[in-house]
Amino acid sequence: MKTLSILLQSLGVLWLSAAWAAAGIIINPYAFGVAEPAWIIKQGFEGTGYDNAETWTGTGSGTVDPDYTGLVLVGSQSLRLVSSTTTSSTRVEFAGQSKFFCRWQMRLVSVGTGNQIIATIRVTATVRATLTIASGKLRVTSSGGTANDSANNVPTGTDIYLWFEYESGTGSNAVTRAGWSTDATKPTLSAGGATSCVSANGTGTDNVTRLYLGHTGNTIWEQVIDEVRALNTAF
């Protein structure tokens, strides 16, 4: 009986959290005793630099500001990246993962024409998955595989949730998925769609160890980022 009662309480908290979120009220369900996942990455950019004792490394000649206090996404600070035909990125390292599922909140303030890389998943410096704004659309590419785009453009000046996922393969079946939504409802990522895209024939077989936000090559965009989360299972 006690186990059933706890389960019902947890389901009730999650249902109320979803309802409140839909109404624009932000509730932390973990404050009610729901177990928080063992995040690989949990970054909120609060305080000076990076929080939760994570080590991130900013690089490039553009703007990398983890203490941005302008039009923030969550809390009192966000990460702001600005690149104008320059390099601008910040990276975090983690223990090797054959499966890596990531989500963050983002506002794409502006973006240049053509293909503009906004994030990568790597094995040290070797890119295994690339996330690009390609003539306005969201594009994913698995290393050695085929690029695929979403049907719709990623909106600029709008707060969105962005998912970026990678699973290593055995030769020619590594998978990269991505999608976006204007709320916390995750789009279906198993196939490409209006706001999602999949690259399912990559050649990567090793475990990934780094997430780069921004890019180490020349790009043109401004983005504000917050609440970066990652696990080795889908969420």
Side-chain angles (χ1 to χ4, degrees):
M1 260 328 259
K2 183 177 180 182
T3 301
L4 178 60
S5 176
I6 292 172
L7 176 60
L8 291 173
Q9 289 176 23
S10 298
L11 289 173
V13 168
L14 291 172
W15 182 86
L16 284 172
S17 297
W20 286 330
I25 302 170
I26 304 301
I27 296 293
N28 177 11
Y30 308 123
F32 292 84
V34 178
E36 184 166 7
W39 300 109
I40 297 170
I41 302 170
K42 181 185 178 183
Q43 185 54 236
F45 307 104
E46 296 298 317
T48 302
Y50 303 91
D51 61 16
N52 291 321
E54 292 181 353
T55 300
W56 290 65
T57 304
T59 59
S61 55
T63 299
V64 180
D65 182 9
D67 300 320
Y68 174 64
T69 58
L71 190 58
V72 302
L73 290 167
V74 181
S76 60
Q77 296 180 182
S78 294
L79 169 69
R80 179 173 178 254
L81 298 173
V82 184
S83 183
S84 179
T85 320
T86 54
T87 59
S88 177
S89 69
T90 184
R91 73 173 188 267
V92 61
E93 301 197 25
F94 46 85
Q97 306 291 332
S98 61
K99 299 181 179 182
F100 183 76
F101 301 84
C102 191
R103 184 196 70 196
W104 62 88
Q105 294 186 47
M106 181 183 78
R107 181 186 309 117
L108 186 64
V109 179
S110 62
V111 63
T113 58
N115 300 332
Q116 306 293 336
I117 295 173
I118 60 170
T120 52
I121 297 169
R122 308 189 186 196
V123 180
T124 313
T126 303
V127 176
R128 286 288 174 253
T130 303
L131 187 61
T132 304
I133 304 296
S135 299
K137 302 183 186 302
L138 191 65
R139 171 177 293 177
V140 288
T141 312
S142 299
S143 63
T146 305
N148 281 285
D149 298 353
S150 64
N152 294 353
N153 285 4
V154 178
T156 56
T158 301
D159 297 354
I160 64 172
Y161 289 78
L162 186 61
W163 288 262
F164 186 27
E165 304 177 350
Y166 177 76
E167 296 184 53
S168 64
T170 56
S172 59
N173 58 348
V175 180
T176 303
R177 294 176 290 265
W180 59 269
S181 175
T182 54
D183 58 27
T185 303
K186 183 179 181 180
T188 300
L189 302 187
S190 57
T195 64
S196 61
C197 44
V198 180
S199 173
N201 59 345
T203 57
T205 60
D206 40 10
N207 292 343
V208 294
T209 59
R210 286 184 185 177
L211 171 68
Y212 282 73
L213 299 177
H215 188 44
T216 53
N218 290 341
T219 49
I220 304 173
W221 39 244
E222 178 180 350
Q223 48 182 319
V224 178
I225 292 170
D226 217 323
E227 291 294 296
V228 184
R229 299 287 187 268
L231 291 172
N232 57 12
T233 56
F235 66 101

